[in-house]
Amino acid sequence: DADVTQTPRNRITKTGKRIMLECSQTKGHDRMYWYRQDPGLGLRLIYYSFDVKDINKGEISDGYSVSRQAQAKFSLSLESAIPNQTAFYFCATSDLGRLGYTFGSGTRLTVV
Amino acid sequence: AQSVTQLGSHVSVSEGALVLLRCNYSSSVPPYLFWYVQYPNQGLQLLLKYTSAATLVKGINGFEAEFKKSETSFHLTKPSAHMSDAAEYFCAVSEPQAGTALIFGKGTTLSVSS
């Protein structure tokens, strides 16, 4: 099984719909992150979390919210999806001591 | 805040030629630097990372990168390109002010022709 699992892998949704992307990890890492990837822009940080009680906005948090339900679970929500949120979304965890980062396989989200 | 700049959004080389992908960083503290590769429709794979040990870092698939503080650079090289190296490459820096999140450059697409 993958260390960082993202669901769904692909999703097409309509403008205005609420959608949740889920991320779970078996690494035992405290820190988790959500990124968005767009062609030509690289990966940009949406939110990050130190632990269940500590959640912080990243570079592009507008239009997104997150929930850290447990150490192992970190969900990203789009409350009212819009077409320019069409992108690849990646979840990641980190081991601060070893500077090791583990990425999920990503979710391809299309908003029509 | 830390940042990285990748020079050249697209690099084309012939098979067997030297690969050089450029990355410059901006950092107020000693940086931790990374190179990742992404093949089409796949996730990110770590090539190598610099964590203040040796300045010349060797990675997987024959890639290496040299940390040069005086030039604020961390360029990625491979002596001889292979067709299978065609992919997108990302340079990243660990940002202490964002929970050590990785801050990525915009990426460089490497094309390899026969």
Side-chain angles (χ1 to χ4, degrees), chain A residues 8 14-16 21 25 31 34 39-40 42 46 59 78 86 92 95 99 102 104 110-111:
Chain A
K14 294 183 177 180
T15 297
L21 309 183
Q25 55 126 336
R31 300 180 184 219
W34 274 104
I46 306 173
E59 177 189 355
L78 288 67
T86 293
D95 174 354
L99 282 174
T102 303
T110 304
V111 183

Side-chain angles (χ1 to χ4, degrees), chain A residues 9 31 33 35 37 40-43 45 48 50 88 90 94 96 98-101 103-105 108, chain B residues 32 34 36 38 41-44 49 51 88 90 94 97-107:
Chain A
R9 292 296 308 275
R31 300 180 184 219
Y33 313 89
Y35 290 90
Q37 183 181 16
L41 296 179
L43 282 80
L45 183 64
Y48 63 98
F50 288 101
F88 258 103
F90 287 96
S94 75
L96 180 61
R98 298 182 180 182
L99 282 174
Y101 295 83
F103 283 82
S105 298
R108 181 196 297 265
Chain B
Y32 298 125
F34 302 76
Y36 283 85
Q38 185 180 36
N41 297 314
Q42 294 190 25
L44 295 168
K49 63 183 177 183
T51 57
E88 189 161 23
F90 294 97
S94 177
Q97 295 185 16
T100 68
L102 290 177
I103 305 302
F104 287 85
K106 294 183 178 181

